Amino acid sequence: MNGILQPLPSSSQTTSPPPLASYSSKPYPFPYTFPSPFKFPTTCSSLACTPSTTTITTKLTHLTTTAESQDQNLLYLLRQRKTEEAWELYSNLQHLPNSTCLSRLVSQLSFQKTISGLKRAQSIVTRLRHERQLHRLDANCLGLLAVAASNAGHTLYAASVLKSMLRSGYLPNVKAWSAVVSRLTSSDDNGPAEALRLFKGVTRRLRKLSSGGVVAAASMPDTAAFNAVLNACANLGDSNMFLQVFNEMPQYDVVPDAFSYNILMKLCCRTGRKHLLVYVLERILQLGIPFCVTTLHCIVASYVDLGDLETAERLVQAMREGRRDLSRIIREREREIELNLEELSESDDNDADVDVENAFAKLLPNFMESNSCNDLPVLPKAYAPNTRMYTTLMKGYMKAGRVTDTVRMLEAMRRQDDAGSHPDHVSYTTVVSALVKAGYMDRARQVLAEMMRIGVAANRITYNVLLKGYCNQFQIDKARELIKEMVDDRGIQPDVVSYNILIDGCILVDDSAGALGFFNEMRTRGIAPTKISYTTLMKAFAFSGQPKLAHKVFDEMLNDPRVKVDVIAWNMLVEGYCRLGLVEEAKKVIQKMKDEGFHPDVGTYGSFANGIALARRPGEALLLWNEVKERWEMVKKGSKHNSCVPPLKPDEGLLDTLADICVRAAFFRKALEIVACMEENGISPNKTKFTRIYVEMHSRMFTSKHASRARQDRRIERRRAAEAFKFWLGLPNSYYGSEWRLEPIEGYDDTAAS
C-alpha cells in the first residue's frame, strides 16, 4: 500500500517464523531505565570469582543471538499485521529493537486511529528521545504519528513532531504536513500562526535541496496544502502574508482553484472589504476556473457574516429565479447603498489600510479595471439554492434577532419541491438556537420533538444549544435532566463543549461543588479537558472565594501537555486572589506571569486594581498606574513592538478604578493624570462621583490654623494638586488659570490659606 496514511508494506519473504520468545502479558511502564544483563564485580578477594574472558564472550554472544531472535519475532508479527501481539512483545524487551521494527511498530500503532494506539506510539518516541535514539525512526512513521496526533486533537504535539523531523533533516510527506497545517489553521492556541511557521519550515527545507529526488517530490506542496496555508492567513486577517503565499504557488507548479478564491472571500470579510467580494466572483469567472455551487454559498455566507442580509436575500432569490448575472445584481445593490472606495478610504485612511488595498489590488487585477455592466461575466449555468444556502440565511436572521423570519424560512424550506432544499438537522438546530437565544425554551423543545417525529436526528450540537439555554436561565436541574435524556434515550455522548457549558452554568448559580463534579465526571468518561474547561473551573473557584483551589487547577493545567496556558488563565488566577483583597499573592502571580513570558493585559491590571481598592492599598495603585502609563505612552508614540513589553491601551474600567483610588487617597496629581488619559481615550470621567468623594472626604483639607510652618511647606504641592482637581471638578477654588495644570502659576502664593 502506498501513501503516508498507510502502514509500511510487508516484506515479500516467505520464510517460516522463528520460535517466539516467551514473554509476560504485563506491559512495561515508560520511561524505564533498562538494567544491564550482567555486571562486573568492582572488588574480589579470590581469582575464582573473576569471570574469564571466554565466559564473558560466551555470554555476550548468547545475548546478541537472543536480541536478534527477538527482533526477528517482532518483525514477523509486524509483517503479519498482528500489532497487539507485537506491542506485547516489544513491551517486555530489555533492549531496543532495530530501526525497521521500531518504525513499523510506530506506523501500525498510529494507523490504528485509536487513543490507546496513539499513546503507545508516543511512548516509543518518548523512550527514544530520552535515550537519544530518535534517528532510528524513519520519516514515514513520524509522518503517520503526526497525522494520528492531529486527528486526535493533539495538534501542538503533531506540529512538534514535524518540526523535529525538519530539524533532523527529514522531509515529511505533503499529506502529513498539510493535514497538520489544516488542523492548526482552525485550532486555538495561536494555531494559524503555528500553521504558517510550519509551512515556512517545510518550504525553507525544500529550497535548500540542491536536487529534487523522490523524497522532495513527495513533500512538495500541492493545491490542498496551499489552500490550508491561505486559510491560516485568512483567519489571521493578514492580507500581505496571503499575497506572499499566493505568489509562491507558481514556484511549485500549483494553480489556484475555486477553493483558493473562496478563501479570498473569507479574507475580504475578515478585513471588512465587502466591496471586493464581487471582484472575487468575477475573477473566478474570468479565469475560467471550474465553477461549483460552493463558491455561491461562500459569497452568500460572506454577506451574511458582514450583516448585509439584503444582498444575501437578493442573491438567493435570483438563484431561485434561475438568473446567471449575479455580478450585475451585486453591483446594482452597491449603487443603491452608495458603497464605493472613496467612502471606505475616508473612514480608514492610514498606512496599514493602504498596504491592505495594495495587496488586494495584486490579488484581484480586475479590481483596477473599469468594466461596464454589459461586460460583466455570468455564471456558466443557473444554480438553484440548496439547503446549505437557506440555512446560512437563517443563521443571519438568527444573529440579527429576527426569530420570526428564522421560523418562516424553515417552513418555506419544508414546502420546497426540490428535495435538495429541504431542511436538515443544521436547519432545525439553527431554529432551536434562535429560539433559545430569545429565551423561548419551551418552543425550542417543541422543535426538538418535531425533529424526532419527522425522523431528522438531532446531534450533539443541538443538545448543547439547549443545555446552554437552560444554564443561561439558571435552570441547572433541567440541564441535568436534558443531558441524561441525551445519553440514555438518544445514545448521544456529551463532549467537552457539553461539560464546559454545564460547568459555566454552575458558576452562574454559584455552585462551585457542582462545577467540580461535572469536571470530574468529564474526565471519568475519558474526555480530555480543554483550555476552556480549566479556566472555567478556575473561574468557579475564584468567584466562590477559593483562590487556592483555583491555583491547584491552574497547576494541573500547567502539567497537562495537551493544553497551552494563556493570559486568560493567568488573569483568572489573579482575579481569584484579588477578589479577596490578597494583593501580595496577586503580585506574586503577576511577577511569575511575566517571568514565564506573558505580559499583563487590561484584564490583568483591572483585576489587580480592584484588589488594591478592596485591600485599601493606595500606594500599590501609584505603582500600577506608572506601569500602565508607561505602556500607554508607547501607544501614543506609535511604538512598533520593538520593546520586549508590548504597548497597552487602558479601558474605562481600569482607569475609573485607579482614579477612584487616587481621589479617595488624596493623590490628586495622579488622579488628574488618570482623568487626562481617560479624556484622551474618549472616555468621559464621572465627575459627579468624584465630586461626591471629594466633598465627603476632603472638603476640610488644609483648614487647620495651628499647623507648623514646616508642615505647611510640605502641604504646598499637595494643595496645588487639590486646587487643580477642584478646578477640574468645577468646585470653588483658588486656581485661576485658564485651564487646570500642575505647574506653578506665576504670582500665585502657594502658602495662602484657602
Side-chain angles (χ1 to χ4, degrees):
M1 292 179 287
N2 299 325
I4 192 67
L5 298 180
Q6 302 293 336
L8 292 172
S10 61
S11 173
S12 59
Q13 297 178 359
T14 58
T15 58
S16 60
L20 296 177
S22 61
Y23 55 88
S24 107
S25 60
K26 183 179 179 181
Y28 251 115
F30 295 101
Y32 177 77
T33 304
F34 296 92
S36 176
F38 62 93
K39 60 182 180 179
F40 297 104
T42 56
T43 61
C44 186
S45 59
S46 173
L47 294 175
C49 66
T50 304
S52 64
T53 305
T54 304
T55 304
I56 296 174
T57 304
T58 302
K59 288 186 177 181
L60 287 172
T61 303
H62 171 71
L63 290 171
T64 303
T65 304
T66 303
E68 291 179 355
S69 175
Q70 290 173 334
D71 285 359
Q72 290 177 5
N73 296 337
L74 181 59
L75 185 59
Y76 172 76
L77 292 173
L78 291 169
R79 287 172 176 170
Q80 296 298 315
R81 299 294 188 270
K82 297 180 179 180
T83 309
E84 291 298 322
E85 291 85 345
W87 169 255
E88 292 288 345
L89 177 56
Y90 164 81
S91 300
N92 292 276
L93 295 179
Q94 293 191 355
H95 72 281
L96 275 176
N98 58 43
S99 298
T100 303
C101 292
L102 288 170
S103 296
R104 284 176 180 268
L105 183 56
V106 171
S107 296
Q108 292 186 20
L109 289 171
S110 301
F111 193 70
Q112 284 182 336
K113 301 178 182 179
T114 61
I115 298 298
S116 61
L118 176 60
K119 289 183 178 179
R120 290 172 176 178
Q122 289 175 327
S123 70
I124 297 175
V125 174
T126 302
R127 174 184 175 185
L128 294 176
R129 181 182 292 113
H130 289 166
E131 299 188 18
R132 300 181 181 276
Q133 297 293 320
L134 272 178
H135 61 274
R136 288 174 176 260
L137 300 178
D138 59 27
N140 190 41
C141 75
L142 290 174
L144 273 170
L145 176 61
V147 173
S150 176
N151 292 337
H154 304 284
T155 52
L156 295 179
Y157 179 84
S160 67
V161 171
L162 294 180
K163 291 176 182 178
S164 178
M165 292 177 64
L166 294 173
R167 287 193 297 267
S168 301
Y170 288 148
L171 267 175
N173 190 286
V174 63
K175 292 183 180 179
W177 68 259
S178 63
V180 177
V181 166
S182 181
R183 290 278 183 174
L184 285 170
T185 297
S186 56
S187 67
D188 297 328
D189 298 326
N190 204 24
E194 286 291 334
L196 284 174
R197 281 192 284 269
L198 180 56
F199 170 75
K200 292 178 180 178
V202 173
T203 54
R204 189 184 306 114
R205 179 67 182 165
L206 286 171
R207 284 192 292 268
K208 288 182 179 180
L209 294 177
S210 56
S211 58
V214 178
V215 177
S219 301
M220 292 289 184
D222 54 11
T223 306
F226 268 107
N227 285 342
V229 181
L230 291 174
N231 196 25
C233 298
N235 287 340
L236 291 172
D238 192 338
S239 57
N240 291 321
M241 182 57 66
F242 189 100
L243 175 62
Q244 180 180 337
V245 174
F246 195 86
N247 289 337
E248 286 187 40
M249 298 177 77
Q251 301 176 19
Y252 299 94
D253 297 327
V254 176
V255 179
D257 58 3
F259 189 62
S260 307
Y261 283 96
N262 293 348
I263 298 172
L264 182 55
M265 290 185 187
K266 182 178 183 179
L267 178 64
C268 292
C269 290
R270 292 297 175 93
T271 56
R273 263 63 183 180
K274 183 171 66 173
H275 62 287
L276 295 178
L277 292 172
V278 65
Y279 294 99
V280 180
L281 175 63
E282 293 173 358
R283 184 64 176 168
I284 297 174
L285 298 174
Q286 289 175 355
L287 295 176
I289 297 174
F291 199 84
C292 66
V293 71
T294 305
T295 300
L296 297 178
H297 172 261
C298 286
I299 196 167
V300 170
S302 297
Y303 282 110
V304 169
D305 290 341
L306 292 170
D308 190 355
L309 294 178
E310 177 69 22
T311 303
E313 290 173 336
R314 292 193 183 189
L315 288 174
V316 172
Q317 181 61 31
M319 284 185 277
R320 292 186 61 189
E321 297 172 357
R323 295 182 60 175
R324 298 165 54 193
D325 56 341
L326 298 187
S327 179
R328 182 193 303 273
I329 294 172
I330 297 174
R331 288 180 178 269
E332 289 175 354
R333 169 62 180 164
E334 288 181 353
R335 283 196 295 271
E336 289 181 8
I337 60 177
E338 297 180 353
L339 180 64
N340 51 55
L341 294 178
E342 288 76 10
E343 294 177 359
L344 291 176
S345 60
E346 288 177 2
S347 59
D348 298 314
D349 187 14
N350 53 52
D351 295 338
D353 288 330
V354 170
D355 293 339
V356 171
E357 292 293 339
N358 291 336
F360 278 112
K362 295 176 182 178
L363 290 166
L364 299 169
N366 57 322
F367 172 51
M368 306 305 296
E369 300 173 359
S370 57
N371 295 332
S372 63
C373 292
N374 297 326
D375 299 333
L376 298 178
V378 296
L379 303 182
K381 66 175 185 179
Y383 292 87
N386 55 19
T387 301
R388 190 179 177 190
M389 289 187 191
Y390 286 125
T391 304
T392 300
L393 195 55
M394 290 171 62
K395 290 180 180 178
Y397 293 146
M398 178 194 69
K399 292 179 181 178
R402 296 164 58 176
V403 181
T404 304
D405 290 336
T406 307
V407 176
R408 286 178 179 173
M409 177 66 75
L410 181 68
E411 296 295 333
M413 292 173 67
R414 287 175 176 174
R415 294 192 295 268
Q416 290 289 320
D417 296 332
D418 182 13
S421 301
H422 289 174
D424 58 6
H425 66 280
V426 180
S427 309
Y428 280 99
T429 301
T430 303
V431 175
V432 171
S433 300
L435 294 172
V436 167
K437 185 179 178 181
Y440 304 135
M441 293 302 302
D442 293 338
R443 292 181 60 185
R445 291 301 298 266
Q446 292 174 4
V447 174
L448 179 64
E450 176 70 11
M451 294 176 66
M452 304 302 174
R453 186 183 66 80
I454 64 177
V456 178
N459 58 11
R460 187 183 295 113
I461 298 176
T462 312
Y463 280 98
N464 285 347
V465 170
L466 290 168
L467 286 173
K468 185 70 173 177
Y470 281 130
C471 289
N472 287 341
Q473 294 189 4
F474 313 107
Q475 300 177 1
I476 302 299
D477 292 337
K478 289 189 176 182
R480 294 178 188 271
E481 295 175 1
L482 181 63
I483 201 167
K484 188 176 184 299
E485 172 190 332
M486 171 182 169
V487 176
D488 297 341
D489 299 342
R490 306 304 172 191
I492 301 175
Q493 296 299 321
D495 60 357
V496 66
V497 177
S498 310
Y499 281 104
N500 289 346
I501 292 171
L502 292 170
I503 293 172
D504 193 55
C506 290
I507 295 175
L508 295 177
V509 296
D510 197 18
D511 183 9
S512 58
L516 180 59
F518 281 124
F519 186 84
N520 291 332
E521 180 183 330
M522 174 179 64
R523 294 201 296 187
T524 303
R525 289 179 176 269
I527 302 173
T530 63
K531 178 174 57 179
I532 297 176
S533 308
Y534 283 112
T535 52
T536 306
L537 186 60
M538 289 175 61
K539 182 180 178 182
F541 290 132
F543 282 21
S544 62
Q546 303 177 79
K548 291 185 178 180
L549 290 179
H551 209 142
K552 288 184 177 180
V553 177
F554 180 80
D555 292 337
E556 186 174 345
M557 184 180 181
L558 283 175
N559 296 326
D560 192 339
R562 298 162 300 190
V563 178
K564 185 177 180 181
V565 177
D566 59 1
V567 177
I568 297 175
W570 286 101
N571 287 353
M572 194 55 62
L573 192 57
V574 173
E575 175 72 13
Y577 287 113
C578 290
R579 276 181 170 264
L580 297 180
L582 303 176
V583 175
E584 292 302 323
E585 288 80 355
K587 286 172 63 177
K588 292 178 182 178
V589 173
I590 295 175
Q591 185 57 49
K592 186 177 180 181
M593 175 182 180
K594 295 177 180 178
D595 295 339
E596 294 294 330
F598 293 92
H599 300 288
D601 59 5
V602 174
T604 317
Y605 291 136
S607 297
F608 191 49
N610 291 329
I612 292 171
L614 184 62
R616 298 182 179 181
R617 300 273 296 274
E620 296 289 347
L622 299 182
L623 299 175
L624 176 59
W625 165 242
N626 290 336
E627 184 174 341
V628 172
K629 182 173 65 171
E630 181 180 353
R631 294 179 63 178
W632 163 236
E633 292 293 335
M634 296 170 64
V635 175
K636 293 197 295 183
K637 295 177 181 178
S639 300
K640 300 295 183 180
H641 296 265
N642 294 328
S643 173
C644 59
V645 180
L648 178 135
K649 185 176 182 180
D651 63 357
E652 181 176 0
L654 171 60
L655 294 175
D656 184 73
T657 303
L658 288 175
D660 187 283
I661 296 172
C662 291
V663 173
R664 292 179 185 276
F667 297 149
F668 298 115
R669 174 185 291 274
K670 295 299 180 180
L672 289 172
E673 291 180 2
I674 295 170
V675 296
C677 180
M678 295 177 73
E679 292 173 345
E680 288 182 27
N681 284 280
I683 302 171
S684 300
N686 190 346
K687 287 190 177 184
T688 303
K689 181 184 74 169
F690 294 136
T691 302
R692 177 178 53 80
I693 295 173
Y694 184 88
V695 171
E696 292 177 356
M697 301 183 66
H698 309 301
S699 59
R700 299 183 62 82
M701 286 181 65
F702 314 118
T703 58
S704 174
K705 302 294 185 179
H706 308 289
S708 65
R709 183 64 185 181
R711 179 171 294 183
Q712 290 180 5
D713 291 340
R714 288 195 299 269
R715 289 178 175 177
I716 291 176
E717 188 64 25
R718 292 185 60 198
R719 191 167 63 190
R720 286 189 57 254
E723 291 298 315
F725 189 73
K726 288 163 62 179
F727 178 83
W728 177 74
L729 290 176
L731 295 175
N733 60 89
S734 302
Y735 202 76
Y736 293 111
S738 59
E739 60 181 357
W740 63 264
R741 56 185 178 181
L742 298 179
E743 294 78 9
I745 302 177
E746 184 177 357
Y748 175 70
D749 184 7
D750 286 317
T751 62
S754 58

